[in-house]
Amino acid sequence: METEILARIQFAFTVAYHYIYPPLSIGIGLLLVIFHASYLKTGDKAYENLTKFWLKIFALTFGYGVATGIIMEFEFGTNWAVYSRFVGDVFGSALAAEGLFAFGLESTFLGILLFGWNRVSPKMHFISAVGVLLGSMFSAIWIVVANSWQQTPAGFHIVGEGLNARAEITDFWAMVFNPSSVDRIIHVWQGAFLAGAFMVLSVHAYYIYKGKFVEISRKAFKIALVIAVVFSLAQLLSGHSSADGVAKNQPAKLAAMEGHYPANSPADLYLLGWVDNEKEQVAGIAVPGGLSFLIHQDFNAPVQGLWNFPKQDRPSQVNAVFQFYHIMVAIGMAMIALTLFALLMWFRGKLFDSKWLMIVFIFSVLLPQIANQAGWFTAEMGRQPWVVYGLLRTSDALSESVKANQVLFSLILFFVLYTLLFALFLYSLNKKITTAEDLQPTA
């Protein structure tokens, strides 16, 4: 296998694995703030116990997120040296801001939050919870800004030529607020809030199903359900806004997301389908002119297709982009349906009467995780063959000295290491859920 393919697989694998944890941290962080605020407002010890219980799970996911993110820094230098040189100024400023304003804030307040019980005032402890949430959200901002600049570069000029070319920042705020960053930050935050909400829903549905910690779990479940309803619906709006931005700034990616090949003709909106990459055809169930309507509010408006672009400038794996995009959308709709149905059952006073519904929620923890991963693969595979859109091709971004066998060896090593780490994470998580010392009734 070619060095480029192996390097891409390795980076995709490590990022996909790492991306399990940061969204969970952000989402659980929001629930921690709400549980803590509820305790301060009502004095109900149940909310204090929920805060303590979920704080331990937050710390677990935070730790794994930090550990699994370090390897990517090395991959930039070993496998993608040309890319690192090209984006060094942009990534350096964004990652420095992330370290200074986000990671530092999150780590400092996490220490107070973990060890400050009965050592600082309840209000200071609550402020620490807010600080941890803001730190995790700020961290997401700078990472997404760096990635968004690759999708829609702005605020720079090119210095040097050939392998020594690099992007130098000319307008820092234009770089930060590049055309896709705001839409993508909002979309990522909402996906993270859903990851945390469905994690809480899953764990407390399990307790309710098993008849353990029922009263306290009902309180937690209702709060998490409201969060899940709000952000499931909000994802519809931010997803539509993101798609509008892709249509404007990365039309080849949008065409790949819907398998739209013809140049400048009305585009259908596929509910499901299969793209034949060789024949450049799509088979499936579609709303005629649906994509044209979503973008231009006109079923007959032309949309740029993949035939508008030279073949070497199109995403090569159109079917993969199509499938990942439709998986993300389908799961988003499933989350809306599930949470609205649960809300209806709540209003009817039957939310916790249906054991089958609790079983569905136990497994629903996978939904936002799969959607987040599918969305990320859509974004990254859809901008190919560019690692920096329109400026640097992925094939030109590789390190010149790295060999295929070296990348393959490190890929196997990372796979073994990450598999062991994931098994350890699941073991630790399961132990905290099954023991749940903080949820035990007190005398």
Side-chain angles (χ1 to χ4, degrees):
M1 196 176 286
E2 294 179 2
T3 306
E4 180 192 340
I5 298 299
L6 285 168
R8 286 179 60 185
I9 292 172
Q10 183 182 110
F11 196 72
F13 172 71
T14 50
V15 173
Y17 180 84
H18 171 67
Y19 198 46
I20 295 171
Y21 304 103
L24 270 180
S25 297
I26 296 171
I28 294 173
L30 176 63
L31 269 297
L32 277 178
V33 169
I34 295 173
F35 290 150
H36 209 316
S38 300
Y39 169 58
L40 288 181
K41 183 177 181 181
T42 66
D44 187 339
K45 294 287 285 184
Y47 293 115
E48 183 186 33
N49 292 344
L50 284 169
T51 307
K52 289 180 177 177
F53 173 71
W54 282 103
L55 176 55
K56 291 178 180 175
I57 294 178
F58 174 90
L60 182 69
T61 56
F62 176 80
Y64 275 85
V66 172
T68 57
I70 293 172
I71 286 177
M72 287 184 293
E73 308 284 341
F74 292 103
E75 284 180 271
F76 288 139
T78 55
N79 297 352
W80 303 99
V82 177
Y83 160 81
S84 298
R85 188 183 305 117
F86 189 86
V87 303
D89 284 12
V90 177
F91 267 44
S93 59
L95 294 181
E98 194 256 346
L100 284 172
F101 303 119
F103 187 74
L105 177 70
E106 189 177 12
S107 302
T108 301
F109 279 114
L110 181 58
I112 299 174
L113 199 56
L114 281 170
F115 304 109
W117 292 104
N118 303 320
R119 291 186 175 89
V120 299
S121 68
K123 287 185 178 178
M124 183 63 219
H125 205 257
F126 172 70
I127 290 171
S128 300
V130 175
V132 166
L133 172 62
L134 292 178
S136 63
M137 293 175 68
F138 290 160
S139 183
I141 286 177
W142 292 110
I143 298 300
V144 174
V145 162
N147 184 274
S148 297
W149 185 87
Q150 297 177 167
Q151 310 276 347
T152 52
F156 72 99
H157 65 183
I158 301 296
V159 178
E161 296 179 351
L163 292 176
N164 293 317
R166 62 184 176 84
E168 188 175 81
I169 297 174
T170 56
D171 185 335
F172 178 76
W173 293 112
M175 181 276 287
V176 171
F177 293 101
N178 65 74
S180 65
S181 59
V182 173
D183 278 336
R184 299 179 82 237
I185 287 167
I186 293 172
H187 205 55
V188 165
W189 275 349
Q190 290 175 348
F193 294 150
L194 287 171
F198 274 87
M199 181 76 173
V200 173
L201 287 168
S202 173
V203 171
H204 289 286
Y206 168 77
Y207 289 142
I208 293 167
Y209 177 76
K210 289 289 186 181
K212 296 172 62 177
F213 319 126
V214 172
E215 289 307 314
I216 196 170
S217 290
R218 288 185 174 189
K219 294 176 187 286
F221 192 98
K222 288 178 178 177
I223 291 173
L225 180 59
V226 172
I227 299 293
V229 169
V230 170
F231 289 108
S232 294
L233 293 171
Q235 280 291 55
L236 270 182
L237 301 176
S238 70
H240 177 67
S241 181
S242 293
D244 275 347
V246 172
K248 182 179 178 183
N249 300 305
Q250 296 175 291
K253 179 194 285 189
L254 182 78
M257 287 158 63
E258 284 295 346
H260 179 56
Y261 281 95
N264 301 317
S265 67
D268 300 339
L269 183 72
Y270 279 88
L271 304 179
L272 54 91
W274 189 263
V275 181
D276 188 324
N277 287 327
E278 298 298 323
K279 296 181 179 178
E280 300 186 340
Q281 294 176 348
V282 188
I285 302 172
V287 178
L291 183 61
S292 295
F293 180 79
L294 283 180
I295 296 172
H296 301 292
Q297 293 74 56
D298 180 352
F299 285 101
N300 297 310
V303 174
Q304 289 191 70
L306 288 165
W307 292 343
N308 282 97
F309 306 92
K311 199 159 188 175
Q312 67 271 20
D313 291 346
R314 303 177 201 164
S316 57
Q317 298 299 318
V318 178
N319 189 48
V321 176
F322 179 98
Q323 299 304 338
F324 281 124
Y325 173 67
H326 284 79
I327 287 171
M328 178 186 67
V329 173
I331 290 178
M333 300 307 291
M335 287 192 288
I336 290 173
L338 177 61
T339 54
L340 286 180
F341 178 75
L343 193 64
L344 177 65
M345 296 290 279
W346 182 3
F347 288 152
R348 290 181 175 178
K350 299 179 179 178
L351 176 59
F352 303 113
D353 294 342
S354 303
K355 284 211 165 189
W356 68 266
L357 185 57
M358 293 298 105
I359 293 173
V360 171
F361 271 106
I362 291 171
F363 291 101
S364 71
V365 67
L366 297 174
L367 295 177
Q369 289 292 343
I370 296 172
N372 287 341
Q373 297 283 343
W376 182 78
F377 275 99
T378 302
E380 300 307 296
M381 295 184 75
R383 76 176 143 104
Q384 296 301 320
W386 305 100
V387 67
V388 180
Y389 201 74
L391 295 174
L392 180 64
R393 291 179 184 275
T394 307
S395 56
D396 295 329
L398 278 171
S399 301
E400 289 184 303
S401 57
V402 72
K403 306 299 180 190
N405 62 334
Q406 295 170 327
V407 180
L408 179 62
F409 175 77
S410 55
L411 173 60
I412 294 171
L413 188 67
F414 290 158
F415 180 78
V416 173
L417 176 64
Y418 278 18
T419 302
L420 291 174
L421 277 175
F422 191 59
L424 187 59
F425 171 74
L426 290 180
Y427 171 78
S428 302
L429 181 64
N430 182 63
K431 190 172 182 181
K432 290 184 184 303
I433 292 172
T434 51
T435 54
E437 295 172 353
D438 296 306
L439 300 182
Q440 301 288 347
T442 55

